[in-house]
Every structure is written in C-alpha cells, then in structure tokens.
Amino acid sequence: MTSQNSFTSRAVPSGAAALVVGLTLALSGCNSGGSPGPGGTSSQVAEEKPTASATATPTPTPSAVYKPADASGPAQNVPVPVLPEVAKTETKEGLEAFAKYWFQLLSYGYETGDTKPVSALTSPACTMCERAKQVQQGWHQEGRWLVGGRVTTPSVNTTFVVAPDGNYQVAVQVSQEALSYYNADKSLDSTDPKPADSGSLMLVVFREGSWFVQTVEPIVG
C-alpha cells in the first residue's frame, strides 16, 4: 500500500457507500420536640424547628473523553479543531495560522470520516484534497474505520505576497503517521507505512472575510 504526495490518497473499497448527569438532592428533615410546661404542669409545648432545605446541586458534567482509534474500534469524542482568531485576518500571521488549521481539519477527517469542515474551506478542484476525502469517507462507512494517519505541520511559511489572481502561496512541511485500514469485523485490511515528511504548496485566497484553499500540490525538487 502506498501513500501519494503529502497525505494518503488510497482508493476506497468496492461497495463503499458513502451523560446522563445525575442530580444529587440532599434533603434534610424537620425535627420536632416537646418539654413540660413551667410549674410542673403537664402542658406540653410542641416546638417545630425549621431547617434550611438543601439546594439541589447538579454534579459537574464530565467532559467526553477522547479515545484514539485502535484495533478494537474507531476513535471516539474527537475534538473538532477550532479556528484561531488570528486566522480570521488577512495578515501573514493569519494566513500561516489558517494553513495549520486546515491541516488539522484534514487530520480530523482521518479520525472521524467527517470531511464537511475541510470541504467548506476547500475548492473541489483540489485533486489531492478530494482523493484524501474519498479515503476518509469510504473507510468510515459500513462499520469500517482508520487507525493513525494523523497529520501535523512542523513548518508553515508564506512570503505573504498576493498574486495577480488573488492567491497567496503557503509552503507547508507535512508529516503524517502510518495508517491502518480496519474492516467492520475488526480484521486488518491493510496498512500504509509512515511516509517521509514532504512539502506542500497551498494556494489560498482571502474572500468575503475568510481564507479559502484553491489547491494543495506537492513541492517537487
């Protein structure tokens, strides 16, 4: 099994289709008592002592625990990457932060099969992106899942010079973990070894107040 370019783009298999939180109530009762009347009379004065009712206090909601995928099953409670505030600005720092965020969304797709977040920020004309999404979607259907494939970006740089067509170029060093493909019966279908770190060139445009990826291509040579 081989990896193409900077992130895996394996063909999908044939036939692939697309707290309770407890509330603890501490209830206190009411005490009543009596005592003989003065002068040794037999009268008894009933006395009720009010007590402060405990307020219902909900226990804190435990955060869902992230569990990475392994041979026993797919990843659980995978946190969705959050776009940094700086990545919303048309600045050098903003563009570099956005590029890192984009690859985090790509990595999220390998763990979950959810490609909507990255698709919303990427042109369908990006061939490498579409191939990666096919793998992510295909291997998270009919009980299948992926293990590994996490993508990181050790280095992201841009000269922040806009071309006449409105695109900015971003050079990204991409690192991806080995990837294993599991069937619904928990059998291992195949594996892709960890590819060598590679360089990718992103063409990104800033439009309507946000960044949008036109394409991602390998840097050759």
Side-chain angles (χ1 to χ4, degrees), residues 12-172:
V12 299
S14 60
L19 296 166
V20 176
V21 178
L23 298 181
T24 303
L25 301 178
L27 301 178
S28 60
C30 296
N31 296 325
S32 60
S35 59
T41 64
S42 60
S43 62
Q44 190 173 23
V45 180
E47 182 180 358
E48 184 176 345
K49 298 179 180 179
T51 58
S53 298
T55 303
T57 305
T59 57
T61 303
S63 299
V65 178
Y66 164 66
K67 178 185 179 298
D70 56 25
S72 65
Q76 299 176 20
N77 306 312
V78 182
V80 182
V82 177
L83 179 68
E85 285 299 317
V86 68
K88 302 175 183 178
T89 64
E90 190 177 8
T91 62
K92 181 177 187 298
E93 295 77 15
L95 178 52
E96 291 176 347
F98 171 79
K100 293 178 182 179
Y101 169 72
W102 187 90
F103 277 96
Q104 290 171 0
L105 292 180
L106 183 71
S107 186
Y108 174 78
Y110 280 107
E111 288 200 87
T112 66
D114 183 3
T115 63
K116 291 180 181 179
V118 74
S119 294
L121 302 173
T122 311
S123 169
C126 176
T127 302
M128 286 178 60
C129 310
E130 292 301 308
R131 288 176 179 170
K133 285 158 55 178
Q134 288 178 5
V135 173
Q136 295 168 354
Q137 292 173 347
W139 280 93
H140 281 278
Q141 291 180 5
E142 300 178 357
R144 292 185 293 268
W145 73 93
L146 298 171
V147 176
R150 180 171 177 264
V151 180
T152 56
T153 51
S155 177
V156 176
N157 293 286
T158 179
T159 58
F160 199 66
V161 176
V162 62
D165 59 4
N167 288 317
Y168 292 88
Q169 295 186 355
V170 189
V172 184

